[in-house]
Amino acid sequence: MSVPARTLRATPGQTVGPFFAYGVEYDRMNQVVHPFAPGAVLLGGTVYDGAGAPVPDAFLEIFAADSDGRMPRVRGAFRRDDHTFAGFGRAFTNDDGRYEFFVRNPGAGAGHPALFAAIVFARGLPDKLHTRIYLPDDPDSLASDPFLASLEGAEQATLIAERRPDGSLQHDIRLQGENETVFLAF
Amino acid sequence: MTPPPAPAPESLTDTPVRASQADITAEIDALHRSFEQRELSGERLPSTVHDFPAYRSSVLRHPTKNLKLVDPETIELLSPAFGQRDVAAIESDLTIQHAGEPLGERMTVSGRVTDSWGRPVANQLIEVWQANSAGRYIHQRDQHPAPLDPNFTGAGRLITDDAGEYTFTTIKPGPYPWKNHVNAWRPAHIHFSVFGSSFTQRLVTQMYFPGDPLFALDPILNTIWRQKDRDSLIAVYDHELTSPEWTTGYRFDIVVDGPDATWFENDDERGEQS
């Protein structure tokens, strides 16, 4: 089946501006799973600008499969009940530019490495930026991914989180400059 | 222990030597001309450009490399699921969230969210936030010396219905000054955060009001470099939406766009609905 021509022009995006906090904050928004749930893992990092300064007025959104690779299709990301897996989270950066989520390790799909889909918004960023956060644990799966293979080594590294000894995931976002994060167009 | 001081507000972190409005307007015009030239020479440019130095705080925050074109993964073709029960009715009326009525021009904003094929985006979340009628945000870092309104917060949430339609009641926000350059004023606007049927369709944008004299002066609106795209963010006054003795009505339709693959995803079973 072929895709018909688009009939409507897309509404363009704009920056979230400086004052988004009271508009988009909600209770436990960064808890994709409850922090004390079995298998809960901390995913955190810092957002940096082109001068290497932390960005304190950004937010990230992530969306990912459950540990068994199943895609989240149920409500519950907005009103957390602490047992439904809805797969979505949102985290503001703090005054040090750091964001944190409580997540489960997403499972890999058929022939695809495990990943979080992610979007970055910030004051000073004229439109959203899509990126991905891949899990580092299965090098073979990462090596066989055609998209990652199309990137240079240094670019690849900007998309792969680091697993810390305590099991947490560390992943910085660099909006500009050296080791600039790879951002995506679809 | 004293908490560390909050980072400086936008007013203090931006460059100390600030341009005039005439400088900024000239920069905007030159940028628009350069994008028109690039498009004429065959380059494909997004509707909103990230590299737009007339918007000063973007200078160190925009990526310098081209976005990498990628086939969406399954998760990127799905969207978090929402339903009517995710928001309370009070959240779609920004004028009844306090003991008294907010000051300002009461209005109804209504519209339809579709994808670029015109199919409704049903049961999805829209978040809105805005300044009050004096142009003041409730955010603590907004230092604009206009009054806060004890009866107005300026944040709302809505869920689109089966036809993709949404409606909310609010008061018209005022324009407000900022520190991008000397005598910089943002045209009055309402921020919109919209979830499409696919994560790739996620949209954060701003809605403006017809006839605002500040449009051509505003570096943020003009990060959208084509006139017809900027025009699509301007709500349309709709007398059919206006209710007698009560509110004026504005219509703002939203089109979320995603890659071709989103054409096929739309008919999938949705998550649990309201």
Side-chain angles (χ1 to χ4, degrees):
Chain A
M1 191 165 105
S2 65
V3 176
R6 288 165 165 74
T7 51
L8 297 172
R9 200 167 171 83
T11 304
Q14 291 256 267
T15 182
V16 290
F19 305 131
F20 56 78
Y22 77 100
V24 299
E25 187 166 30
Y26 66 93
D27 189 33
R28 290 178 292 166
M29 63 184 190
N30 69 334
Q31 296 180 17
V32 181
V33 299
H34 189 279
F36 301 144
V41 166
L42 183 70
L43 162 65
T46 302
V47 180
Y48 293 101
D49 72 12
V55 176
D57 40 16
F59 70 92
L60 261 70
E61 290 180 348
I62 56 170
F63 190 42
D66 205 346
S67 300
D68 56 7
R70 265 191 307 174
M71 295 298 153
R73 304 306 307 269
V74 293
R75 291 172 49 225
F78 211 59
R79 293 202 170 180
R80 305 283 190 199
D81 63 10
D82 297 329
H83 58 85
T84 300
F85 185 83
F88 174 80
R90 177 185 284 163
F92 295 167
T93 56
N94 65 13
D95 290 351
D96 300 318
R98 183 171 168 83
Y99 72 89
E100 288 187 344
F101 290 100
F102 295 96
V103 299
R104 272 203 283 271
N105 292 320
H112 296 284
L115 64 93
F116 297 90
I119 307 180
V120 185
F121 302 91
R123 174 180 75 85
L125 188 60
D127 198 2
K128 65 171 181 176
L129 288 171
H130 282 273
T131 183
R132 287 176 181 169
I133 304 171
Y134 287 92
L135 298 198
D137 312 302
D138 182 353
D140 292 343
S141 153
L142 293 172
S144 64
D145 182 70
F147 171 63
L148 286 173
S150 74
L151 303 175
E152 292 166 22
E155 291 174 331
Q156 275 182 20
T158 72
L159 297 180
I160 303 172
E162 174 197 341
R163 181 75 69 184
R164 291 276 166 88
D166 64 2
S168 67
L169 289 163
Q170 163 70 27
H171 187 75
D172 294 339
I173 305 273
R174 292 172 197 280
L175 295 175
Q176 193 186 85
E178 205 178 342
N179 297 320
E180 182 175 306
T181 298
V182 168
F183 297 106
L184 309 176
F186 296 100
Chain B
M1 199 178 87
T2 328
E10 188 169 36
S11 56
L12 300 180
T13 51
D14 282 345
T15 165
V17 180
R18 289 187 290 136
S20 68
Q21 181 65 60
D23 297 333
I24 292 293
T25 305
E27 282 184 43
I28 289 171
D29 292 345
L31 283 161
H32 287 179
R33 277 198 304 275
S34 77
F35 297 130
E36 283 156 19
Q37 282 305 317
R38 282 165 63 181
E39 187 177 57
L40 282 172
S41 61
E43 198 175 334
R44 200 163 160 258
L45 291 163
S47 302
T48 308
V49 284
H50 282 115
D51 184 3
F52 199 83
Y55 176 24
R56 293 289 192 255
S57 40
S58 75
V59 170
L60 287 170
R61 293 186 171 193
H62 70 86
T64 54
K65 295 175 181 158
N66 288 334
L67 305 185
K68 302 278 184 193
L69 189 65
V70 63
D71 286 332
E73 295 278 3
T74 309
I75 189 72
E76 290 160 334
L77 290 173
L78 302 175
S79 184
F82 299 96
Q84 300 295 335
R85 278 181 293 149
D86 280 319
V87 304
I90 197 173
E91 296 185 82
S92 66
D93 189 339
L94 285 68
T95 68
I96 58 169
Q97 295 172 352
H98 297 273
E101 296 222 45
L103 291 172
E105 192 180 328
R106 191 187 297 111
M107 59 176 200
T108 300
V109 181
S110 194
R112 188 160 181 253
V113 185
T114 63
D115 67 13
S116 17
W117 294 279
R119 298 177 299 181
V121 174
N123 284 300
Q124 281 298 348
L125 175 69
I126 300 177
E127 297 155 289
V128 294
W129 68 102
Q130 62 170 92
N132 69 21
S133 59
R136 177 80 185 264
Y137 282 89
I138 206 159
H139 194 288
Q140 60 178 356
R141 285 181 200 154
D142 184 0
Q143 299 298 310
H144 173 34
L148 284 170
D149 184 338
N151 292 315
F152 191 73
T153 302
R157 299 186 181 110
L158 359 143
I159 301 285
T160 57
D161 68 14
D162 289 345
E165 298 272 356
Y166 72 88
T167 294
F168 65 99
T169 305
T170 185
I171 52 97
K172 194 171 180 181
Y176 74 86
W178 60 311
K179 304 284 186 180
N180 187 71
H181 52 279
V182 177
N183 206 11
W185 289 82
R186 296 285 341 272
H189 61 276
I190 299 178
H191 294 268
F192 275 67
S193 156
V194 181
F195 286 80
S197 307
S198 150
F199 206 52
T200 59
Q201 294 172 330
R202 185 84 176 84
L203 174 71
V204 169
T205 191
Q206 302 179 23
M207 183 201 94
Y208 299 86
F209 294 90
D212 196 315
L214 296 167
F215 287 154
L217 312 183
D218 178 35
I220 288 184
L221 174 59
N222 284 288
T223 58
I224 300 162
W225 61 279
R226 291 186 194 94
Q227 183 70 52
K228 64 180 168 184
D229 286 330
R230 290 195 295 278
D231 290 347
S232 73
L233 293 188
I234 303 168
V236 177
Y237 173 74
D238 183 348
H239 203 66
E240 295 297 308
L241 271 175
T242 294
S243 30
E245 325 292 329
W246 189 242
T247 70
T248 50
Y250 288 87
R251 186 151 186 98
F252 181 54
D253 293 329
I254 296 169
V255 180
V256 294
D257 194 29
D260 282 357
T262 58
W263 166 258
F264 301 105
E265 283 299 323
N266 193 274
D267 294 329
D268 268 22
E269 63 164 319
R270 294 270 150 250
E272 179 202 345
Q273 307 283 322
S274 57

